[in-house]
Amino acid sequence: MKKVFSKILKLLLSFVGFKGYSSTLMLKALKKDIINKDIPFRSKIWAWRRGFLGTRVFTYGINESNYKNHMPDFDYFKLHPINGKYSKWIDDKLTMKYILAPFNEFLPKYYFQIDDGMILKLMDLPEGINANIEGIIQLLMTEGNLAVKRLGGSLGEGFYRLTYNNGDFYINTNKACIQQVVELLSNLRGYLVTEYIIAHKDIRKVYDVTPNTLRVLVIKDRGKKAQITGGFMRFGTKESGLLEITDAGTIFTAVDYEIGCTFNANRMLNNHLENLKTHPDTYEQLEIKLPYWEEIKKIVYEITAYVPQLSYLGFDIIITDDGFKIIEINSLSALTFLAYYNPFFENEYSKEFFKRKFEEKPRKFKRVLKMMES
């Protein structure tokens, strides 16, 4: 019955403009919103009528006086793919690696692809290591850490950190025997085995279990110079484990894009934002200066110029002791903290970019266009 109900809902969503992946995103978001008991039903109705998820009443603090500064969730999902057919260049991590070959020094090393029952050797695999499970184990014992992640997807879905230390194996932070590692690898489909990136010492001081990723959103409107219009820094916690996602205890901070400093840290707690000054596990200050900030800005702008077919790029970056690595680029960045720290329609550059996108299909985006004009 659940499958039938979901199919009916997806069909209904398709009639109001949600196609393909956007209908899946919308369906997941609505289901989560509907069963959420922490949000009053009246608040949900108010938000839905304006194109927002009910949670935004608390996470954005939206009301009648300020909701027009924000991107409505429903219209944002309808825009997918914002980069059109070229979205696949970055949605697939392996394609991204090939496309951005001139920037390889800023990308993780790619060792293996696991797909369709095969293990394939990729461009950064050292000589003398075979493309099989034994080869992966051999590389793990040499490197100490490997990242195992899906070819597509975001928010840490399906991510594993494999570790070998002093004769012991670990899957994520859990000790495992070699047979468990072999079993995990044997059952994967559509995965990459890559370098595991260790964060800069100043960032590890705040929290050293997770990579602690920087998100930088770049928009390149037609005929205009690209701009960084938003982003944030993520810090894991004991509650979040290895995943850096919104509702699992992860800490998010705003970033001052002129000087590269973090500030205004928050984490989600029962659909409300809890402001933090220090990390709850390490008690370290959450306001830090980001190393290599000027070089990061330089490279994300260079990449944006190198792929003119892409106009909307959400860079996920891990800053290291000797530079930084771009672990993925998102073509439909999750709104929650992007919009909280940098409301999309408060920034004139961002507002004009999206207005033009909406005007390309005025009937589909009639409501949001009317909102932007009022």
Side-chain angles (χ1 to χ4, degrees):
M1 285 297 294
K2 287 183 178 179
K3 288 183 178 179
V4 172
F5 184 63
S6 292
K7 285 183 178 180
I8 292 172
L9 275 179
K10 287 188 78 171
L11 183 62
L12 292 173
L13 287 170
S14 70
F15 284 119
V16 291
F18 297 95
K19 305 292 184 182
Y21 183 57
S22 69
S23 66
T24 301
L25 287 173
M26 191 69 252
L27 185 60
K28 286 182 179 179
L30 276 178
K31 283 181 178 178
K32 195 172 181 180
D33 227 25
I34 290 168
I35 65 175
N36 194 320
K37 297 180 180 179
D38 296 321
I39 305 167
F41 186 69
R42 181 178 294 181
S43 296
K44 293 179 185 178
I45 295 297
W46 181 90
W48 292 344
R49 289 181 62 191
R50 289 155 182 80
F52 294 90
L53 296 172
T55 53
R56 306 309 191 200
V57 173
F58 299 113
T59 56
Y60 291 176
I62 59 171
N63 52 45
E64 283 292 344
S65 67
N66 65 15
Y67 80 89
K68 293 179 183 179
N69 293 331
H70 289 276
M71 168 70 75
D73 298 275
F74 300 173
D75 297 289
Y76 188 63
F77 290 148
K78 283 183 186 179
L79 277 174
H80 180 75
I82 295 176
N83 290 305
K85 62 184 179 181
Y86 298 105
S87 289
K88 61 187 177 183
W89 285 6
I90 53 178
D91 289 339
D92 181 284
K93 296 179 181 68
L94 185 56
T95 303
M96 185 193 80
K97 175 78 168 179
Y98 286 115
I99 291 286
L100 298 183
F103 300 91
N104 196 48
E105 65 181 294
F106 303 106
L107 304 176
K109 294 177 182 177
Y110 279 35
Y111 299 124
F112 299 98
Q113 179 181 357
I114 305 174
D115 211 358
D116 296 327
M118 298 185 297
I119 297 177
L120 304 175
K121 175 181 179 179
L122 295 181
M123 62 287 288
D124 300 312
L125 184 66
E127 291 295 328
I129 297 180
N130 295 322
N132 51 35
I133 289 178
E134 291 76 14
I136 299 175
I137 299 295
Q138 180 185 351
L139 183 65
L140 174 60
M141 294 174 71
T142 302
E143 294 293 320
N145 290 283
L146 293 174
V148 182
K149 52 193 177 183
R150 289 180 177 173
L151 277 164
S154 58
L155 297 176
E157 290 182 328
F159 175 85
Y160 300 97
R161 175 184 178 179
L162 301 183
T163 302
Y164 178 79
N165 184 32
N166 292 327
D168 294 321
F169 292 92
Y170 296 84
I171 299 174
N172 296 334
T173 56
N174 301 314
K175 193 172 182 179
C177 64
I178 189 170
Q179 288 80 11
Q180 289 173 302
V181 177
V182 170
E183 183 178 357
L184 170 68
L185 295 170
S186 299
N187 290 314
L188 295 179
R189 298 291 184 274
Y191 271 77
L192 296 170
V193 180
T194 75
E195 173 186 14
Y196 182 83
I197 310 299
I198 304 295
H200 189 281
K201 59 183 177 58
D202 292 347
I203 296 172
R204 293 201 306 273
K205 184 180 178 182
V206 178
Y207 192 68
D208 65 358
V209 178
T210 53
N212 306 317
T213 310
L214 169 69
R215 169 69 58 83
V216 178
L217 180 64
V218 180
I219 292 177
K220 181 178 55 186
D221 203 359
R222 185 180 299 170
K224 299 178 182 178
K225 186 177 179 180
Q227 283 192 21
I228 294 174
T229 61
F232 50 81
M233 184 80 183
R234 295 187 289 241
F235 292 97
T237 63
K238 287 181 181 178
E239 185 183 358
S240 72
L242 285 181
L243 299 180
E244 296 175 357
I245 57 177
T246 304
D247 54 1
T250 299
I251 297 167
F252 295 76
T253 76
V255 174
D256 183 319
Y257 293 102
E258 292 302 316
I259 59 176
C261 287
T262 63
F263 67 100
N264 191 11
N266 293 274
R267 66 174 171 178
M268 198 80 75
L269 193 65
N270 298 324
N271 298 296
H272 290 70
L273 295 183
E274 177 189 26
N275 191 256
L276 300 170
K277 297 296 182 184
T278 60
H279 194 286
D281 302 318
T282 65
Y283 307 107
E284 293 288 337
Q285 291 291 321
L286 289 163
E287 293 187 5
I288 65 171
K289 180 77 171 67
L290 297 177
Y292 304 106
W293 177 243
E294 290 303 319
E295 187 177 5
I296 289 170
K297 290 197 295 184
K298 175 178 177 288
I299 295 304
V300 299
Y301 281 137
E302 285 184 6
I303 289 175
T304 304
Y306 178 73
V307 282
Q309 298 86 351
L310 303 175
S311 58
Y312 188 74
L313 303 94
F315 293 84
D316 276 355
I317 298 167
I318 299 175
I319 303 172
T320 68
D321 284 336
D322 55 2
F324 60 93
K325 298 286 186 178
I326 299 166
I327 56 172
E328 65 180 61
I329 305 176
N330 298 274
S331 60
L332 194 73
S333 295
L335 283 177
T336 304
F337 280 93
L338 272 176
Y340 174 71
Y341 290 127
N342 306 103
F344 279 37
F345 299 156
E346 275 190 355
N347 181 302
E348 283 302 317
Y349 187 98
S350 173
K351 183 177 181 179
E352 287 303 312
F353 171 80
F354 283 107
K355 185 178 181 182
R356 184 173 60 77
K357 290 287 185 184
F358 295 141
E359 287 174 342
E360 290 173 0
K361 297 180 180 179
R363 293 182 63 185
K364 187 175 183 178
F365 295 105
K366 182 178 179 180
R367 177 183 57 192
V368 68
L369 283 169
K370 185 177 179 180
M371 183 191 88
M372 295 176 80
E373 291 167 358
S374 63

